[in-house]
């Protein structure tokens, strides 16, 4: 069965779940326009997440999903909240959702994990996942090593459930390429950063629109949690720490964690573009203007 029919959406389009960003305004707009809006639960407590769910339900009667970042200290609470709030679709990332799967399945929840390798995709299918989001290293935020071009067809060949391609997709050409690789749908994050309904700071949006093809970099590989962001003064400082002679790995990690504490909020809320994490995919160079979510989605499929 096609992913649109499984989820009850018009277009095979997922809006990437971005902590601090993918909240009610953006999520409801994407869902109303025929895609799957995804609430980013990564930075939310149970109460804050519940509030956002209620806002979304007041703004749309279309399907939407809750994303649970499994590294979050609130993941247990959000996993239970999905059941309490009768959430129909859960997207998981940054970990293994195995301890929640049985309960979710008992309540008829559709589960769609994000994966960065074939091995993890196969494991998720065995656990009972209904579809897979295969995300390449071109994506913004936390990334794996494989590119979308190499990862997606290998995951498609390895599993029998629908595969959604993510990472490096911003326009109709990317959508068509994903379908050619065997994907049934696409997930976009960076393009939706400049949606008019996205509530990030205008300074952050302007940096995305102004970005060139080489303006993103991956930081924090030494920590084991690499993140793709736009280059700025903070990324240069991180690189200096990573390459500093005479410093142990533990010291480097501690310094990086101290430097980056709260840095994403600085970009999203405060509009700081110099000492902040401007999470962005490599496709920022293709993103040229601010549009509504509906205009973005129609440009991809019509």
């Amino acid at each position: 069965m096609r992913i649109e029919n499984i989820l009850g959406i018009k277009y095979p389009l997922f809006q990437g779940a971005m902590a601090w960003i993918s909240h009610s305004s953006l999520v409801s707009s994407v869902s109303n326009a025929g895609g799957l809006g995804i609430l980013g639960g990564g930075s939310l407590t149970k109460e804050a997440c519940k509030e956002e769910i209620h806002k979304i339900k007041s703004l749309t009667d279309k399907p939407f999903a809750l994303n649970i970042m499994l590294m979050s200290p609130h993941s247990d609470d959000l996993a239970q909240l999905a059941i309490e709030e009768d959430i129909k679709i859960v997207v998981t990332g940054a970990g293994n959702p195995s301890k929640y799967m049985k309960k979710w399945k008992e309540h008829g929840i559709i589960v769609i994990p994000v994966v960065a390798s074939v091995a993890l995709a196969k494991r998720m299918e065995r656990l009972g996942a209904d579809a897979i989001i295969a995300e390449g290293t071109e994506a913004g935020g936390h990334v794996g090593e494989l590119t979308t071009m190499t990862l997606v067809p290998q995951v498609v060949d390895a599993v029998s459930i629908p595969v959604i391609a993510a990472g490096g997709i911003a326009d109709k050409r990317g959508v068509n390429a994903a379908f050619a690789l065997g994907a049934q749908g696409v997930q976009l994050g960076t393009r939706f950063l400049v949606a008019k309904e996205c509530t990030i700071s205008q300074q952050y949006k302007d940096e995305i629109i102004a970005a060139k093809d080489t303006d993103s970099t991956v930081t924090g590989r030494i920590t084991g949690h690499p993140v793709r962001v736009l280059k700025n003064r903070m990324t240069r400082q991180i690189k200096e720490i990573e390459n500093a002679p005479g410093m142990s790995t533990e010291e480097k990690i501690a310094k990086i964690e101290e430097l980056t504490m709260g840095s994403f909020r600085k970009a999203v809320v405060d509009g700081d573009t110099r000492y902040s994490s401007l999470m962005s995919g490599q496709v920022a160079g293709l993103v040229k203007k601010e549009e509504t979510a509906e205009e973005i989605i129609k440009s991809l499929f019509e």
Side-chain angles (χ1 to χ4, degrees), residues 248-301:
S248 70
T249 299
E250 291 74 19
E251 288 174 316
K252 290 179 180 180
I253 291 172
K255 279 189 171 293
I256 290 170
E257 287 178 348
E258 181 184 352
L259 178 66
T260 58
M261 184 71 68
S263 60
F264 192 41
R265 187 185 188 282
K266 288 179 186 175
V268 173
V269 179
D270 302 337
D272 181 347
T273 60
R274 296 183 300 166
Y275 297 100
S276 63
S277 290
L278 294 163
M279 292 191 189
S280 169
Q282 290 182 321
V283 291
L286 287 172
V287 179
K288 301 300 183 187
K289 60 183 177 179
E290 201 172 341
E291 299 173 281
T292 66
E294 183 177 20
E295 287 168 338
I296 291 170
I297 292 171
K298 284 188 172 178
S299 75
L300 299 171
F301 292 99

Side-chain angles (χ1 to χ4, degrees), residues 195-211:
K196 289 184 177 175
E197 300 90 347
C198 183
T199 56
I200 63 172
S201 67
Q202 190 60 48
Q203 294 93 325
Y204 191 169
K205 290 187 180 186
D206 292 342
E207 290 293 315
I208 296 290
I209 291 169

Side-chain angles (χ1 to χ4, degrees), residues 96 98 117-129 132 159:
N96 187 330
S98 57
S117 71
V118 169
L120 188 55
K122 290 165 79 170
R123 197 180 315 151
M124 293 301 102
E125 183 178 36
R126 287 195 300 271
L127 280 174
I132 293 288
V159 300

Side-chain angles (χ1 to χ4, degrees), residues 206-245:
D206 292 342
E207 290 293 315
I208 296 290
I209 291 169
K212 303 187 298 295
D213 58 337
T214 57
D215 281 350
S216 79
T217 186
V218 176
T219 61
R221 290 194 191 280
I222 194 172
T223 69
H225 303 291
V227 178
R228 183 175 297 283
V229 294
L230 293 181
K231 296 173 184 174
N232 61 8
R233 290 189 184 182
M234 195 179 78
T235 64
R236 288 196 289 275
Q237 289 179 333
I238 293 170
K239 298 286 186 183
E240 287 169 7
I241 293 170
E242 289 177 332
N243 296 322

